[in-house]
Amino acid sequence: MSVVEQYARAHIVSDVDIAEDESVPVVLRYDPETDPRSVRIGLPGTPEWTFSRALLEQGLRAPVGSGEIRVWPCGRVQAVVEFHSPQGVSVVQFEQKTLLRFLRRTYMAAAPVRANTASP
């Protein structure tokens, strides 16, 4: 199994003056050896955020959240990932196809991990 790393561009929604068409570089990572259930997103100037791969997938279809992460579809071609920290909230808008491509690559690296169920 190999690490999946994908570079992308995303828009940060903020009250700070950012040009409307300006996007920032982000990195999407998945390491099935370290944590097969989680993905990581690295934003400029912040530590990487780690959260459930299933949460990212579900959030592309309907709004979901867990702890400090929320994901939801935004229109037909966008998706939003919202990160909450003691320093504030970062709202990041992605092209859905970017996140779908990343998820597809993670599933090629390692199938979804299911909860173990014991047989009697």
Side-chain angles (χ1 to χ4, degrees), residues 24-43:
V24 297
V26 296
V27 63
L28 308 167
R29 287 192 178 95
Y30 173 71
D31 186 350
E33 293 291 326
T34 303
D35 189 353
R37 294 181 182 187
S38 297
V39 295
R40 298 183 314 221
I41 295 182
L43 303 172

Side-chain angles (χ1 to χ4, degrees), residues 5-101:
E5 188 170 88
Q6 180 174 317
Y7 294 90
R9 307 276 311 164
H11 293 277
I12 298 198
V13 179
S14 171
D15 56 2
V16 177
D17 284 335
I18 297 177
E20 188 66 31
D21 61 347
E22 186 174 333
S23 61
V24 297
V26 296
V27 63
L28 308 167
R29 287 192 178 95
Y30 173 71
D31 186 350
E33 293 291 326
T34 303
D35 189 353
R37 294 181 182 187
S38 297
V39 295
R40 298 183 314 221
I41 295 182
L43 303 172
T46 67
E48 283 188 333
W49 289 85
T50 302
F51 59 99
S52 164
R53 176 169 66 163
L55 180 77
L56 181 59
E57 181 179 7
Q58 292 166 5
L60 295 178
R61 294 188 302 268
V64 294
S66 177
E68 61 271 336
I69 309 288
R70 290 171 184 61
V71 183
W72 67 89
C74 181
R76 294 172 40 138
V77 297
Q78 303 289 320
V80 172
V81 182
E82 185 177 278
F83 303 98
H84 293 255
S85 74
Q87 292 75 33
V89 178
S90 295
V91 180
V92 184
Q93 189 174 32
F94 290 90
E95 293 284 331
Q96 271 192 13
K97 65 182 178 183
T98 299
L99 298 176
L100 287 169
R101 185 179 318 119

